[in-house]
Structure formats: C-alpha cells, structure tokens
Short mmCIF file of all heavy atoms in Angstrom, two decimals:
data_model
loop_
_atom_site.label_atom_id
_atom_site.label_comp_id
_atom_site.label_asym_id
_atom_site.label_seq_id
_atom_site.Cartn_x
_atom_site.Cartn_y
_atom_site.Cartn_z
N MET A 1 0.82 -1.20 0.00
CA MET A 1 0.00 0.00 0.00
C MET A 1 0.87 1.26 0.00
O MET A 1 0.56 2.21 -0.68
CB MET A 1 -0.94 -0.03 1.21
CG MET A 1 -1.91 1.11 1.23
SD MET A 1 -3.08 0.96 -0.10
CE MET A 1 -4.37 1.93 0.49
N LYS A 2 1.95 1.25 0.78
CA LYS A 2 2.81 2.42 0.86
C LYS A 2 3.44 2.72 -0.51
O LYS A 2 3.54 3.88 -0.91
CB LYS A 2 3.89 2.22 1.91
CG LYS A 2 4.76 3.43 2.09
CD LYS A 2 5.78 3.23 3.18
CE LYS A 2 6.61 4.49 3.32
NZ LYS A 2 7.64 4.35 4.33
N GLN A 3 3.87 1.69 -1.22
CA GLN A 3 4.49 1.88 -2.54
C GLN A 3 3.49 2.55 -3.50
O GLN A 3 3.86 3.43 -4.26
CB GLN A 3 4.96 0.54 -3.10
CG GLN A 3 5.63 0.65 -4.45
CD GLN A 3 6.94 1.41 -4.38
OE1 GLN A 3 7.60 1.45 -3.36
NE2 GLN A 3 7.30 2.05 -5.46
N ARG A 4 2.25 2.14 -3.46
CA ARG A 4 1.22 2.73 -4.32
C ARG A 4 1.03 4.22 -4.00
O ARG A 4 0.91 5.05 -4.88
CB ARG A 4 -0.09 1.97 -4.11
CG ARG A 4 -1.18 2.37 -5.03
CD ARG A 4 -2.33 1.44 -4.86
NE ARG A 4 -3.51 1.95 -5.51
CZ ARG A 4 -4.69 1.44 -5.37
NH1 ARG A 4 -4.87 0.38 -4.61
NH2 ARG A 4 -5.72 1.95 -5.98
N TRP A 5 1.05 4.56 -2.72
CA TRP A 5 0.91 5.94 -2.27
C TRP A 5 2.08 6.78 -2.76
O TRP A 5 1.91 7.88 -3.26
CB TRP A 5 0.83 5.96 -0.74
CG TRP A 5 0.70 7.31 -0.15
CD1 TRP A 5 -0.42 8.09 -0.12
CD2 TRP A 5 1.72 8.08 0.48
NE1 TRP A 5 -0.16 9.27 0.50
CE2 TRP A 5 1.15 9.30 0.88
CE3 TRP A 5 3.05 7.85 0.74
CZ2 TRP A 5 1.88 10.28 1.53
CZ3 TRP A 5 3.77 8.83 1.40
CH2 TRP A 5 3.19 10.03 1.78
N VAL A 6 3.29 6.24 -2.67
CA VAL A 6 4.49 6.95 -3.13
C VAL A 6 4.43 7.15 -4.64
O VAL A 6 4.74 8.23 -5.15
CB VAL A 6 5.77 6.20 -2.72
CG1 VAL A 6 6.99 6.81 -3.38
CG2 VAL A 6 5.92 6.19 -1.21
N ASN A 7 4.01 6.13 -5.38
CA ASN A 7 3.88 6.24 -6.83
C ASN A 7 2.86 7.30 -7.20
O ASN A 7 3.07 8.06 -8.15
CB ASN A 7 3.49 4.90 -7.45
CG ASN A 7 4.65 3.93 -7.50
OD1 ASN A 7 5.81 4.31 -7.40
ND2 ASN A 7 4.33 2.66 -7.62
N ASN A 8 1.75 7.37 -6.48
CA ASN A 8 0.71 8.35 -6.75
C ASN A 8 1.24 9.77 -6.57
O ASN A 8 0.98 10.64 -7.39
CB ASN A 8 -0.49 8.10 -5.85
CG ASN A 8 -1.68 8.95 -6.23
OD1 ASN A 8 -1.85 9.32 -7.38
ND2 ASN A 8 -2.50 9.27 -5.25
N ILE A 9 2.00 10.00 -5.51
CA ILE A 9 2.56 11.32 -5.27
C ILE A 9 3.54 11.67 -6.39
O ILE A 9 3.54 12.79 -6.89
CB ILE A 9 3.27 11.38 -3.90
CG1 ILE A 9 2.23 11.36 -2.80
CG2 ILE A 9 4.14 12.64 -3.79
CD1 ILE A 9 2.81 11.32 -1.41
N PHE A 10 4.36 10.72 -6.79
CA PHE A 10 5.32 10.96 -7.86
C PHE A 10 4.62 11.30 -9.17
O PHE A 10 5.00 12.25 -9.86
CB PHE A 10 6.24 9.75 -8.04
CG PHE A 10 7.24 9.93 -9.13
CD1 PHE A 10 8.33 10.76 -8.95
CD2 PHE A 10 7.08 9.29 -10.35
CE1 PHE A 10 9.26 10.94 -9.96
CE2 PHE A 10 8.00 9.46 -11.36
CZ PHE A 10 9.09 10.29 -11.16
N VAL A 11 3.59 10.55 -9.51
CA VAL A 11 2.84 10.80 -10.75
C VAL A 11 2.19 12.17 -10.70
O VAL A 11 2.26 12.93 -11.67
CB VAL A 11 1.79 9.69 -10.99
CG1 VAL A 11 0.82 10.07 -12.10
CG2 VAL A 11 2.47 8.37 -11.29
N ARG A 12 1.59 12.54 -9.59
CA ARG A 12 0.97 13.86 -9.45
C ARG A 12 2.00 14.97 -9.60
O ARG A 12 1.76 15.97 -10.26
CB ARG A 12 0.25 13.97 -8.11
CG ARG A 12 -1.03 13.18 -8.06
CD ARG A 12 -1.67 13.12 -6.71
NE ARG A 12 -1.66 14.38 -6.00
CZ ARG A 12 -1.90 14.50 -4.70
NH1 ARG A 12 -2.17 13.43 -3.98
NH2 ARG A 12 -1.89 15.67 -4.13
N PHE A 13 3.17 14.77 -8.99
CA PHE A 13 4.22 15.77 -9.08
C PHE A 13 4.70 15.92 -10.52
O PHE A 13 4.89 17.03 -11.01
CB PHE A 13 5.39 15.39 -8.16
CG PHE A 13 6.55 16.32 -8.26
CD1 PHE A 13 6.47 17.60 -7.73
CD2 PHE A 13 7.71 15.94 -8.91
CE1 PHE A 13 7.54 18.47 -7.83
CE2 PHE A 13 8.78 16.80 -9.02
CZ PHE A 13 8.70 18.07 -8.48
N MET A 14 4.87 14.83 -11.22
CA MET A 14 5.33 14.88 -12.60
C MET A 14 4.29 15.55 -13.50
O MET A 14 4.64 16.36 -14.36
CB MET A 14 5.65 13.47 -13.13
CG MET A 14 6.88 12.86 -12.48
SD MET A 14 8.36 13.89 -12.59
CE MET A 14 8.59 13.97 -14.34
N ARG A 15 3.03 15.25 -13.29
CA ARG A 15 1.96 15.91 -14.06
C ARG A 15 1.97 17.41 -13.82
O ARG A 15 1.81 18.21 -14.74
CB ARG A 15 0.59 15.34 -13.70
CG ARG A 15 0.33 13.99 -14.28
CD ARG A 15 -1.04 13.51 -13.89
NE ARG A 15 -1.29 12.18 -14.41
CZ ARG A 15 -2.25 11.40 -14.00
NH1 ARG A 15 -3.07 11.81 -13.05
NH2 ARG A 15 -2.42 10.21 -14.52
N TYR A 16 2.14 17.80 -12.57
CA TYR A 16 2.19 19.22 -12.24
C TYR A 16 3.38 19.89 -12.92
O TYR A 16 3.26 20.97 -13.48
CB TYR A 16 2.26 19.44 -10.73
CG TYR A 16 2.46 20.89 -10.39
CD1 TYR A 16 1.40 21.78 -10.46
CD2 TYR A 16 3.71 21.38 -10.05
CE1 TYR A 16 1.58 23.13 -10.19
CE2 TYR A 16 3.90 22.72 -9.78
CZ TYR A 16 2.83 23.59 -9.85
OH TYR A 16 3.02 24.91 -9.59
N CYS A 17 4.54 19.23 -12.89
CA CYS A 17 5.74 19.80 -13.52
C CYS A 17 5.54 20.00 -15.02
O CYS A 17 5.92 21.03 -15.57
CB CYS A 17 6.95 18.90 -13.27
SG CYS A 17 7.53 18.95 -11.56
N ILE A 18 4.93 19.03 -15.67
CA ILE A 18 4.68 19.13 -17.11
C ILE A 18 3.70 20.26 -17.39
O ILE A 18 3.92 21.09 -18.27
CB ILE A 18 4.16 17.79 -17.66
CG1 ILE A 18 5.28 16.75 -17.61
CG2 ILE A 18 3.62 17.94 -19.07
CD1 ILE A 18 4.82 15.32 -17.83
N MET A 19 2.62 20.32 -16.61
CA MET A 19 1.61 21.37 -16.81
C MET A 19 2.24 22.75 -16.57
O MET A 19 2.03 23.68 -17.35
CB MET A 19 0.42 21.16 -15.86
CG MET A 19 -0.66 22.22 -15.99
SD MET A 19 -2.04 22.02 -14.86
CE MET A 19 -1.26 22.20 -13.28
N TRP A 20 3.03 22.88 -15.51
CA TRP A 20 3.66 24.15 -15.20
C TRP A 20 4.59 24.58 -16.32
O TRP A 20 4.59 25.74 -16.74
CB TRP A 20 4.43 24.03 -13.87
CG TRP A 20 5.10 25.29 -13.48
CD1 TRP A 20 4.53 26.34 -12.80
CD2 TRP A 20 6.45 25.68 -13.75
NE1 TRP A 20 5.47 27.33 -12.63
CE2 TRP A 20 6.64 26.95 -13.20
CE3 TRP A 20 7.51 25.06 -14.40
CZ2 TRP A 20 7.84 27.62 -13.29
CZ3 TRP A 20 8.72 25.72 -14.50
CH2 TRP A 20 8.87 26.99 -13.94
N SER A 21 5.34 23.63 -16.85
CA SER A 21 6.28 23.93 -17.93
C SER A 21 5.54 24.42 -19.18
O SER A 21 5.96 25.40 -19.82
CB SER A 21 7.11 22.69 -18.25
OG SER A 21 7.97 22.94 -19.32
N GLU A 22 4.45 23.76 -19.53
CA GLU A 22 3.67 24.16 -20.69
C GLU A 22 3.06 25.54 -20.50
O GLU A 22 3.05 26.38 -21.42
CB GLU A 22 2.57 23.13 -20.97
CG GLU A 22 3.11 21.81 -21.47
CD GLU A 22 2.05 20.73 -21.55
OE1 GLU A 22 0.91 20.94 -21.09
OE2 GLU A 22 2.38 19.65 -22.07
N HIS A 23 2.56 25.81 -19.32
CA HIS A 23 1.97 27.12 -19.04
C HIS A 23 3.03 28.22 -19.04
O HIS A 23 2.80 29.31 -19.54
CB HIS A 23 1.20 27.10 -17.72
CG HIS A 23 -0.13 26.44 -17.84
ND1 HIS A 23 -0.31 25.12 -17.55
CD2 HIS A 23 -1.33 26.91 -18.23
CE1 HIS A 23 -1.58 24.80 -17.75
NE2 HIS A 23 -2.22 25.86 -18.16
N ARG A 24 4.18 27.94 -18.49
CA ARG A 24 5.27 28.93 -18.49
C ARG A 24 5.69 29.25 -19.92
O ARG A 24 5.98 30.40 -20.24
CB ARG A 24 6.49 28.43 -17.70
CG ARG A 24 6.34 28.51 -16.22
CD ARG A 24 6.01 29.88 -15.67
NE ARG A 24 6.89 30.93 -16.13
CZ ARG A 24 6.56 32.21 -16.24
NH1 ARG A 24 5.35 32.61 -15.92
NH2 ARG A 24 7.41 33.11 -16.66
N ALA A 25 5.74 28.24 -20.79
CA ALA A 25 6.09 28.48 -22.19
C ALA A 25 5.07 29.40 -22.84
O ALA A 25 5.43 30.33 -23.58
CB ALA A 25 6.18 27.16 -22.94
N ALA A 26 3.78 29.19 -22.56
CA ALA A 26 2.73 30.05 -23.12
C ALA A 26 2.85 31.47 -22.60
O ALA A 26 2.70 32.43 -23.36
CB ALA A 26 1.35 29.47 -22.78
N VAL A 27 3.14 31.62 -21.31
CA VAL A 27 3.31 32.95 -20.72
C VAL A 27 4.49 33.67 -21.38
O VAL A 27 4.40 34.86 -21.71
CB VAL A 27 3.48 32.86 -19.19
CG1 VAL A 27 3.95 34.18 -18.60
CG2 VAL A 27 2.18 32.42 -18.53
N LYS A 28 5.59 32.97 -21.59
CA LYS A 28 6.76 33.58 -22.22
C LYS A 28 6.45 34.06 -23.63
O LYS A 28 6.84 35.15 -24.03
CB LYS A 28 7.93 32.60 -22.25
CG LYS A 28 8.59 32.42 -20.92
CD LYS A 28 9.76 31.46 -21.03
CE LYS A 28 10.42 31.26 -19.69
NZ LYS A 28 11.60 30.39 -19.78
N ILE A 29 5.74 33.24 -24.39
CA ILE A 29 5.38 33.62 -25.76
C ILE A 29 4.49 34.86 -25.75
O ILE A 29 4.72 35.81 -26.50
CB ILE A 29 4.69 32.45 -26.49
CG1 ILE A 29 5.71 31.34 -26.76
CG2 ILE A 29 4.03 32.91 -27.78
CD1 ILE A 29 5.09 30.03 -27.22
N LEU A 30 3.49 34.85 -24.90
CA LEU A 30 2.57 35.99 -24.83
C LEU A 30 3.29 37.26 -24.35
O LEU A 30 2.99 38.36 -24.83
CB LEU A 30 1.38 35.68 -23.93
CG LEU A 30 0.39 34.66 -24.50
CD1 LEU A 30 -0.60 34.24 -23.43
CD2 LEU A 30 -0.32 35.21 -25.72
N ASN A 31 4.22 37.12 -23.45
CA ASN A 31 4.96 38.30 -22.96
C ASN A 31 5.87 38.89 -24.02
O ASN A 31 6.27 40.05 -23.92
CB ASN A 31 5.76 37.96 -21.71
CG ASN A 31 4.92 38.03 -20.46
OD1 ASN A 31 4.07 38.90 -20.33
ND2 ASN A 31 5.16 37.13 -19.53
N GLN A 32 6.21 38.12 -25.05
CA GLN A 32 7.04 38.62 -26.13
C GLN A 32 6.25 39.47 -27.13
O GLN A 32 6.83 40.20 -27.91
CB GLN A 32 7.73 37.47 -26.86
CG GLN A 32 8.77 36.77 -26.02
CD GLN A 32 9.34 35.55 -26.70
OE1 GLN A 32 8.88 35.13 -27.76
NE2 GLN A 32 10.35 34.96 -26.08
N LEU A 33 4.93 39.37 -27.07
CA LEU A 33 4.09 40.16 -27.97
C LEU A 33 4.04 41.62 -27.50
O LEU A 33 4.14 41.90 -26.31
CB LEU A 33 2.67 39.59 -28.01
CG LEU A 33 2.51 38.17 -28.55
CD1 LEU A 33 1.06 37.73 -28.43
CD2 LEU A 33 2.99 38.06 -29.98
N SER A 34 3.85 42.50 -28.45
CA SER A 34 3.68 43.92 -28.10
C SER A 34 2.28 44.14 -27.54
O SER A 34 1.39 43.30 -27.69
CB SER A 34 3.89 44.79 -29.34
OG SER A 34 2.82 44.60 -30.26
N ASP A 35 2.08 45.29 -26.92
CA ASP A 35 0.76 45.61 -26.39
C ASP A 35 -0.28 45.66 -27.52
O ASP A 35 -1.42 45.24 -27.34
CB ASP A 35 0.79 46.95 -25.65
CG ASP A 35 1.53 46.86 -24.33
OD1 ASP A 35 1.68 45.74 -23.79
OD2 ASP A 35 1.97 47.91 -23.83
N ARG A 36 0.13 46.15 -28.68
CA ARG A 36 -0.79 46.20 -29.82
C ARG A 36 -1.17 44.80 -30.29
O ARG A 36 -2.34 44.52 -30.58
CB ARG A 36 -0.15 46.98 -30.96
CG ARG A 36 -1.08 47.10 -32.15
CD ARG A 36 -0.46 47.84 -33.28
NE ARG A 36 -1.35 47.70 -34.43
CZ ARG A 36 -1.45 48.58 -35.37
NH1 ARG A 36 -0.74 49.67 -35.33
NH2 ARG A 36 -2.26 48.37 -36.38
N GLU A 37 -0.19 43.90 -30.35
CA GLU A 37 -0.48 42.52 -30.76
C GLU A 37 -1.40 41.84 -29.75
O GLU A 37 -2.32 41.10 -30.14
CB GLU A 37 0.82 41.73 -30.90
CG GLU A 37 1.66 42.16 -32.09
CD GLU A 37 3.05 41.55 -32.09
OE1 GLU A 37 3.67 41.45 -31.01
OE2 GLU A 37 3.52 41.19 -33.19
N LEU A 38 -1.17 42.08 -28.48
CA LEU A 38 -2.06 41.52 -27.46
C LEU A 38 -3.47 42.07 -27.62
O LEU A 38 -4.45 41.33 -27.51
CB LEU A 38 -1.52 41.83 -26.06
CG LEU A 38 -0.29 41.03 -25.62
CD1 LEU A 38 0.27 41.60 -24.33
CD2 LEU A 38 -0.62 39.56 -25.47
N LYS A 39 -3.57 43.37 -27.89
CA LYS A 39 -4.90 43.99 -28.09
C LYS A 39 -5.60 43.37 -29.28
O LYS A 39 -6.81 43.14 -29.26
CB LYS A 39 -4.75 45.49 -28.28
CG LYS A 39 -6.05 46.22 -28.34
CD LYS A 39 -5.85 47.72 -28.47
CE LYS A 39 -7.19 48.42 -28.54
NZ LYS A 39 -7.03 49.86 -28.72
N ASP A 40 -4.84 43.05 -30.35
CA ASP A 40 -5.43 42.43 -31.53
C ASP A 40 -6.07 41.08 -31.22
O ASP A 40 -7.03 40.67 -31.89
CB ASP A 40 -4.37 42.23 -32.63
CG ASP A 40 -3.99 43.54 -33.31
OD1 ASP A 40 -4.72 44.54 -33.16
OD2 ASP A 40 -2.94 43.55 -34.01
N ILE A 41 -5.54 40.37 -30.25
CA ILE A 41 -6.13 39.07 -29.89
C ILE A 41 -7.04 39.17 -28.67
O ILE A 41 -7.46 38.17 -28.10
CB ILE A 41 -5.05 37.98 -29.68
CG1 ILE A 41 -4.10 38.35 -28.54
CG2 ILE A 41 -4.30 37.70 -30.96
CD1 ILE A 41 -3.12 37.23 -28.18
N GLY A 42 -7.34 40.42 -28.28
CA GLY A 42 -8.31 40.64 -27.21
C GLY A 42 -7.77 40.47 -25.81
O GLY A 42 -8.51 40.11 -24.90
N MET A 43 -6.48 40.72 -25.65
CA MET A 43 -5.87 40.58 -24.33
C MET A 43 -5.11 41.84 -23.96
O MET A 43 -4.73 42.61 -24.82
CB MET A 43 -4.85 39.42 -24.33
CG MET A 43 -5.42 38.05 -24.46
SD MET A 43 -4.11 36.80 -24.45
CE MET A 43 -3.56 36.89 -22.77
N SER A 44 -4.88 42.00 -22.67
CA SER A 44 -3.96 43.02 -22.20
C SER A 44 -2.85 42.29 -21.45
O SER A 44 -2.97 41.11 -21.13
CB SER A 44 -4.67 44.01 -21.28
OG SER A 44 -5.04 43.39 -20.08
N ARG A 45 -1.79 42.99 -21.16
CA ARG A 45 -0.67 42.37 -20.47
C ARG A 45 -1.11 41.81 -19.10
O ARG A 45 -0.61 40.79 -18.66
CB ARG A 45 0.45 43.40 -20.30
CG ARG A 45 1.75 42.74 -20.05
CD ARG A 45 2.93 43.51 -20.56
NE ARG A 45 2.98 43.84 -21.96
CZ ARG A 45 3.35 43.00 -22.94
NH1 ARG A 45 3.69 41.78 -22.65
NH2 ARG A 45 3.38 43.39 -24.18
N GLN A 46 -2.05 42.47 -18.45
CA GLN A 46 -2.53 42.02 -17.15
C GLN A 46 -3.33 40.71 -17.24
O GLN A 46 -3.48 40.01 -16.25
CB GLN A 46 -3.41 43.09 -16.49
CG GLN A 46 -2.68 44.36 -16.14
CD GLN A 46 -2.52 45.32 -17.32
OE1 GLN A 46 -3.12 45.13 -18.37
NE2 GLN A 46 -1.69 46.32 -17.16
N ASP A 47 -3.84 40.39 -18.42
CA ASP A 47 -4.66 39.19 -18.61
C ASP A 47 -3.83 37.93 -18.81
O ASP A 47 -4.37 36.83 -18.69
CB ASP A 47 -5.56 39.33 -19.84
CG ASP A 47 -6.61 40.40 -19.67
OD1 ASP A 47 -7.03 40.64 -18.53
OD2 ASP A 47 -6.99 40.99 -20.69
N ILE A 48 -2.57 38.06 -19.11
CA ILE A 48 -1.77 36.90 -19.53
C ILE A 48 -1.82 35.77 -18.52
O ILE A 48 -2.22 34.66 -18.85
CB ILE A 48 -0.32 37.30 -19.85
CG1 ILE A 48 -0.30 38.18 -21.11
CG2 ILE A 48 0.55 36.06 -20.05
CD1 ILE A 48 1.07 38.76 -21.43
N ASP A 49 -1.41 36.01 -17.29
CA ASP A 49 -1.36 34.93 -16.31
C ASP A 49 -2.75 34.39 -16.01
O ASP A 49 -2.95 33.19 -15.89
CB ASP A 49 -0.68 35.39 -15.02
CG ASP A 49 -0.25 34.23 -14.16
OD1 ASP A 49 0.40 33.31 -14.69
OD2 ASP A 49 -0.59 34.22 -12.97
N ARG A 50 -3.72 35.28 -15.91
CA ARG A 50 -5.10 34.85 -15.61
C ARG A 50 -5.66 33.96 -16.69
O ARG A 50 -6.33 32.98 -16.43
CB ARG A 50 -5.99 36.09 -15.43
CG ARG A 50 -7.44 35.75 -15.11
CD ARG A 50 -8.28 37.01 -14.97
NE ARG A 50 -8.27 37.84 -16.16
CZ ARG A 50 -9.07 37.63 -17.22
NH1 ARG A 50 -9.90 36.62 -17.23
NH2 ARG A 50 -9.03 38.44 -18.25
N MET A 51 -5.37 34.27 -17.95
CA MET A 51 -5.93 33.50 -19.05
C MET A 51 -5.19 32.20 -19.29
O MET A 51 -5.78 31.22 -19.72
CB MET A 51 -5.96 34.35 -20.31
CG MET A 51 -6.92 35.51 -20.19
SD MET A 51 -7.10 36.42 -21.70
CE MET A 51 -8.30 35.42 -22.54
N VAL A 52 -3.89 32.18 -19.01
CA VAL A 52 -3.13 30.95 -19.21
C VAL A 52 -3.44 29.93 -18.13
O VAL A 52 -3.63 28.76 -18.40
CB VAL A 52 -1.61 31.25 -19.28
CG1 VAL A 52 -0.81 29.98 -19.25
CG2 VAL A 52 -1.30 32.05 -20.53
N TRP A 53 -3.50 30.38 -16.88
CA TRP A 53 -3.86 29.49 -15.79
C TRP A 53 -5.38 29.54 -15.62
O TRP A 53 -5.91 30.41 -14.95
CB TRP A 53 -3.18 29.92 -14.49
CG TRP A 53 -1.74 29.60 -14.47
CD1 TRP A 53 -0.72 30.46 -14.70
CD2 TRP A 53 -1.14 28.33 -14.22
NE1 TRP A 53 0.47 29.80 -14.61
CE2 TRP A 53 0.25 28.51 -14.31
CE3 TRP A 53 -1.65 27.07 -13.92
CZ2 TRP A 53 1.14 27.45 -14.12
CZ3 TRP A 53 -0.76 26.02 -13.73
CH2 TRP A 53 0.61 26.21 -13.83
N LEU A 54 -6.06 28.62 -16.25
CA LEU A 54 -7.51 28.55 -16.15
C LEU A 54 -7.92 28.20 -14.72
O LEU A 54 -7.15 27.62 -13.96
CB LEU A 54 -8.05 27.50 -17.11
CG LEU A 54 -7.73 27.72 -18.59
CD1 LEU A 54 -8.18 26.51 -19.40
CD2 LEU A 54 -8.37 28.98 -19.10
N GLU A 55 -9.13 28.55 -14.35
CA GLU A 55 -9.61 28.28 -13.00
C GLU A 55 -9.50 26.78 -12.67
O GLU A 55 -9.15 26.40 -11.57
CB GLU A 55 -11.07 28.75 -12.84
CG GLU A 55 -11.54 28.72 -11.41
CD GLU A 55 -10.73 29.62 -10.49
OE1 GLU A 55 -10.30 30.70 -10.92
OE2 GLU A 55 -10.52 29.23 -9.33
N GLU A 56 -9.77 25.94 -13.66
CA GLU A 56 -9.65 24.50 -13.44
C GLU A 56 -8.22 24.12 -13.08
O GLU A 56 -7.98 23.29 -12.19
CB GLU A 56 -10.07 23.75 -14.72
CG GLU A 56 -9.93 22.25 -14.62
CD GLU A 56 -10.32 21.56 -15.90
OE1 GLU A 56 -11.20 22.07 -16.61
OE2 GLU A 56 -9.73 20.52 -16.19
N ASP A 57 -7.25 24.74 -13.76
CA ASP A 57 -5.85 24.47 -13.44
C ASP A 57 -5.52 24.89 -12.02
O ASP A 57 -4.79 24.21 -11.31
CB ASP A 57 -4.92 25.23 -14.39
CG ASP A 57 -5.07 24.78 -15.84
OD1 ASP A 57 -5.39 23.60 -16.06
OD2 ASP A 57 -4.87 25.62 -16.73
N LYS A 58 -6.05 26.02 -11.60
CA LYS A 58 -5.76 26.52 -10.26
C LYS A 58 -6.31 25.61 -9.19
O LYS A 58 -5.68 25.39 -8.16
CB LYS A 58 -6.33 27.93 -10.10
CG LYS A 58 -5.64 28.97 -10.96
CD LYS A 58 -6.34 30.31 -10.82
CE LYS A 58 -5.79 31.31 -11.80
NZ LYS A 58 -6.54 32.55 -11.79
N THR A 59 -7.50 25.06 -9.41
CA THR A 59 -8.12 24.22 -8.40
C THR A 59 -7.60 22.78 -8.44
O THR A 59 -7.57 22.11 -7.42
CB THR A 59 -9.65 24.20 -8.55
OG1 THR A 59 -10.00 23.72 -9.84
CG2 THR A 59 -10.24 25.57 -8.32
N MET A 60 -7.17 22.30 -9.61
CA MET A 60 -6.73 20.92 -9.75
C MET A 60 -5.22 20.78 -9.70
O MET A 60 -4.70 19.69 -9.85
CB MET A 60 -7.27 20.33 -11.05
CG MET A 60 -8.78 20.36 -11.17
SD MET A 60 -9.62 19.68 -9.73
CE MET A 60 -9.31 17.97 -9.98
N ARG A 61 -4.50 21.86 -9.54
CA ARG A 61 -3.04 21.87 -9.58
C ARG A 61 -2.46 20.76 -8.70
O ARG A 61 -2.67 20.72 -7.51
CB ARG A 61 -2.55 23.22 -9.08
CG ARG A 61 -1.38 23.74 -9.84
CD ARG A 61 -1.04 25.11 -9.36
NE ARG A 61 -1.66 26.10 -10.22
CZ ARG A 61 -1.60 27.39 -10.01
NH1 ARG A 61 -0.99 27.87 -8.97
NH2 ARG A 61 -2.17 28.22 -10.83
N GLY A 62 -1.75 19.85 -9.33
CA GLY A 62 -1.05 18.80 -8.58
C GLY A 62 -1.90 17.66 -8.10
O GLY A 62 -1.40 16.73 -7.49
N ARG A 63 -3.19 17.68 -8.37
CA ARG A 63 -4.06 16.60 -7.89
C ARG A 63 -4.09 15.41 -8.84
O ARG A 63 -4.60 14.36 -8.50
CB ARG A 63 -5.47 17.10 -7.66
CG ARG A 63 -5.56 18.09 -6.54
CD ARG A 63 -6.98 18.46 -6.26
NE ARG A 63 -7.01 19.56 -5.31
CZ ARG A 63 -8.05 20.32 -5.11
NH1 ARG A 63 -9.15 20.10 -5.78
NH2 ARG A 63 -7.99 21.29 -4.23
N GLY A 64 -3.60 15.61 -10.04
CA GLY A 64 -3.56 14.51 -11.00
C GLY A 64 -4.91 14.13 -11.56
O GLY A 64 -5.10 13.06 -12.09
N GLU A 65 -5.86 15.02 -11.45
CA GLU A 65 -7.21 14.71 -11.95
C GLU A 65 -7.48 15.46 -13.23
O GLU A 65 -6.93 16.46 -13.53
CB GLU A 65 -8.25 15.12 -10.90
CG GLU A 65 -8.08 14.31 -9.64
CD GLU A 65 -9.03 14.75 -8.55
OE1 GLU A 65 -9.95 15.54 -8.79
OE2 GLU A 65 -8.84 14.30 -7.43
#
C-alpha cells in the first residue's frame, strides 16, 4: 500500500511539472508580444497569467485529476 501511495505522489508531481512547464512556455510567448499585438487578440498584459492558468488548473493543480 505504501508503494502505491508513493507512486501516486510521484505521478501527481510529474503531471504538475509538465503542466507548469507548458503554461510557463505560453506565458513567455505571450509576454514577447507587443501591447498592440495583445490587443489584436483581445488581451492586455494584465490578462496573460489569468488567461493561461484557467480556473480548473488553479483548483486541480497537482491533484492529478
């Protein structure tokens, strides 16, 4: 039982790391855009983190669900 619990924590941690890496890549790309380019796609600089990290991501972060 203990081994299964350890594996579950490891899998959740790895999923979180992958998700975090993908989101950071999206944030970096969006931050490279000019304010005008962001406006063209309906965003402002203040929206970047909020839009990349969806509410579902915030609540499920690291849970592996």
Side-chain angles (χ1 to χ4, degrees):
M1 185 68 158
K2 183 177 181 182
Q3 181 66 27
R4 187 172 167 190
W5 179 76
V6 171
N7 285 341
N8 189 29
I9 289 176
F10 180 74
V11 169
R12 286 173 42 195
F13 176 73
M14 291 306 297
R15 285 181 182 164
Y16 174 77
C17 289
I18 291 167
M19 179 181 63
W20 180 84
S21 178
E22 290 172 353
H23 283 94
R24 283 304 309 153
V27 168
K28 284 181 181 183
I29 290 169
L30 289 170
N31 277 323
Q32 291 174 353
L33 297 176
S34 69
D35 289 339
R36 182 181 171 151
E37 290 170 320
L38 287 170
K39 186 177 179 182
D40 286 345
I41 61 173
M43 291 180 69
S44 68
R45 200 150 302 280
Q46 295 82 11
D47 294 330
I48 292 174
D49 197 51
R50 180 181 59 83
M51 293 186 83
V52 170
W53 286 100
L54 301 173
E55 191 61 36
E56 178 181 328
D57 296 329
K58 292 175 187 174
T59 59
M60 302 309 286
R61 219 176 264 176
R63 294 185 188 163
E65 296 176 11

